[in-house]
Amino acid sequence: MIMSYFRENIENANGYQPGFQPKQTDVIKLNTNENPYPPSPKVIEVLAKIKPEQLRRYPDPLGDLFRRAAAEVHGLSPDNILCCNGGDELLSIAFRAFCDQNRPVAYPVPTYSLYPVLARLQNCIAVEVPFDAEFNLPPKLAATGAALTIVCNPNAPSATFIDPGELASFADELEGVLLIDEAYVDFAKDNCVKLINDFDNVIILRSMSKGYGLAGLRFGYAIAQPSLIAGLMKLKDSYNVDAVAIALAAEAIKDQKYFSENVEKVKKDRDILTEQLRALNFKVAKSSANFVLAEHKNRLAKEIYEELLRRNIFIRYFDLPGLNNMLRITVGTSRQNDKLVLALKEILSEKGTSNGGQKS
Ligand SMILES: Cc1ncc(COP(=O)(O)O)c(C=O)c1O
């Protein structure tokens, strides 16, 4: 028998499947929840002024320029901030910091599909507690005894939001760490940053990929009490965020005016798109994110997804329990959303396969 070079859990793992990134540019790409608008023009100005010397030298290991800027925006101290190479790096650091074979992770499902992948790689048990149909916080989640509990808020892919007051009571009940994944919170009505004043077991994940339009830069950060931040630092690569990323992310977070205007535009278009989809007979829950989750009342999601693909419109279809007749659609520019709605009208007017009023 040929032995694998890999640890058994790695050999048996599938790895994460990122959303499809088409090579063509003449497509309408509404499948990976990017911001449809570019980052602040001030970010592009800083990019144009990057000096060769900034590239020759190693970057600041802590990214203090960004930590100071983020601390100011959140009314906190730089010691409350840890810079990461995307929010995904923070998730990977958290699994390594808190979980092993005897220390499980817990999270409600369905949610971000990276969590089970990281659990597999870390060889820890993943306790998956199902959400109810309204995506309320499952009462059983507090009693799992997990070393790390993750709540994605707003949740992906449901786009639903749990009130920060409810998460505060939840944090109080937990023995382990609560990581609140706020990758999409820029588009919600509130957030959980205030929880870190009262709880030494709460970590907030933030991403610059969504509200700030910087998915290509790879920058995210943790917010927590300094004791947790200091512990997490031990696990990061020495230079986990590069010199260009630190400079650009700092400039982006400083430009709160551009950020808020951009986010407001997306939220307005999201609410218009929600109404347009409902008028086309889709069930769409209220979204607190930059995407919507839609289920057609009598047509198969897979068929709609494939028909859109034929028209070079990319959205996300999940062939997963609880989601298998659902389509996740990123909010695009008004023009992109209009083209999507037009294509949907055309597809729905053609004869297709009924889902038999399927409930998922
Ligand atoms: C729920 C959730 N959390 C975290 C991330 C990580 O974002 P990034 O690594 O781009 O900052 C994503 C990315 O899509 C996400 O959907």
Side-chain angles (χ1 to χ4, degrees), residues 32-33 85-89 91 112 115 152 156 181 183-184 205-210 215 218-220:
T32 51
N33 298 343
N85 190 344
D88 280 349
E89 190 200 12
L91 290 169
Y112 186 29
Y115 308 154
C152 186
D181 181 342
Y184 296 103
L205 176 153
R206 287 294 180 94
S207 170
M208 300 298 286
S209 301
K210 316 293 177 183
R218 310 305 304 127
F219 207 98

Side-chain angles (χ1 to χ4, degrees), residues 240-309:
N240 63 329
V241 282
D242 68 72
V244 178
I246 296 168
L248 302 196
E251 197 61 29
I253 203 164
K254 278 189 210 160
D255 194 351
Q256 285 295 303
K257 183 170 179 291
Y258 179 89
F259 164 75
S260 310
E261 285 168 5
N262 183 330
V263 163
E264 284 312 311
K265 248 189 316 193
V266 173
K267 280 162 67 178
K268 191 163 157 247
D269 284 339
R270 170 191 73 198
D271 296 344
I272 295 171
L273 179 63
T274 302
E275 286 312 315
Q276 287 172 317
L277 291 172
R278 284 180 182 155
L280 290 176
N281 241 351
F282 281 95
K283 258 195 305 187
V284 190
K286 180 176 162 39
S287 166
S288 294
N290 67 335
F291 57 88
V292 296
L293 190 67
E295 177 177 24
H296 199 266
K297 291 190 181 146
N298 42 44
R299 289 281 293 272
L300 281 183
K302 187 161 187 281
E303 210 168 86
I304 297 173
Y305 162 79
E306 281 165 358
E307 280 298 320
L308 286 172
L309 206 56

Side-chain angles (χ1 to χ4, degrees), residues 65-86:
L65 186 72
F66 179 85
R67 294 174 91 203
R68 283 196 299 272
E72 188 160 338
V73 165
H74 294 300
L76 296 167
S77 143
D79 293 348
N80 294 116
I81 310 287
L82 171 73
C83 298
C84 296
N85 190 344

Side-chain angles (χ1 to χ4, degrees), residues 3-193:
M3 290 282 288
S4 165
Y5 289 119
F6 291 94
R7 284 157 46 213
E8 199 180 330
N9 57 308
I10 306 293
E11 179 66 22
N12 295 331
N14 287 327
Y16 180 67
Q17 269 278 318
F20 182 61
Q21 303 296 345
K23 296 278 181 286
Q24 319 95 286
T25 49
D26 59 338
V27 299
I28 297 183
K29 189 174 175 308
L30 306 174
N31 66 333
T32 51
N33 298 343
E34 289 136 339
N35 196 308
Y37 302 108
S40 156
K42 292 186 180 164
V43 170
I44 308 305
E45 277 170 34
V46 173
L47 178 62
K49 288 187 194 143
I50 296 286
K51 298 202 172 53
E53 187 62 2
Q54 280 169 276
L55 301 181
R56 188 187 66 78
R57 293 174 57 164
Y58 281 108
D60 172 3
L62 300 186
D64 275 336
L65 186 72
F66 179 85
R67 294 174 91 203
R68 283 196 299 272
E72 188 160 338
V73 165
H74 294 300
L76 296 167
S77 143
D79 293 348
N80 294 116
I81 310 287
L82 171 73
C83 298
C84 296
N85 190 344
D88 280 349
E89 190 200 12
L90 175 61
L91 290 169
S92 159
I93 288 175
F95 272 82
R96 287 185 283 124
F98 305 116
C99 300
D100 65 21
Q101 276 170 319
N102 302 312
R103 298 170 61 100
V105 64
Y107 46 84
V109 285
T111 190
Y112 186 29
S113 53
L114 182 62
Y115 308 154
V117 173
L118 292 176
R120 196 84 194 251
L121 299 180
Q122 189 58 19
N123 215 7
C124 68
I125 292 171
V127 184
E128 301 191 335
V129 184
F131 275 117
D132 63 16
E134 274 74 49
F135 288 85
N136 292 305
L137 195 60
K140 282 190 186 149
L141 194 63
T144 63
L148 172 67
T149 302
I150 308 179
V151 175
C152 186
N153 198 41
N155 186 47
S158 60
T160 47
F161 187 70
I162 296 167
D163 189 68
E166 203 179 326
L167 284 169
S169 315
F170 181 69
D172 203 25
E173 276 182 74
L174 283 185
E175 276 171 35
V177 167
L178 171 62
L179 190 153
I180 306 175
D181 181 342
E182 291 197 338
Y184 296 103
V185 86
D186 300 331
F187 308 97
K189 62 175 191 297
D190 203 353
N191 64 69
C192 287
V193 171

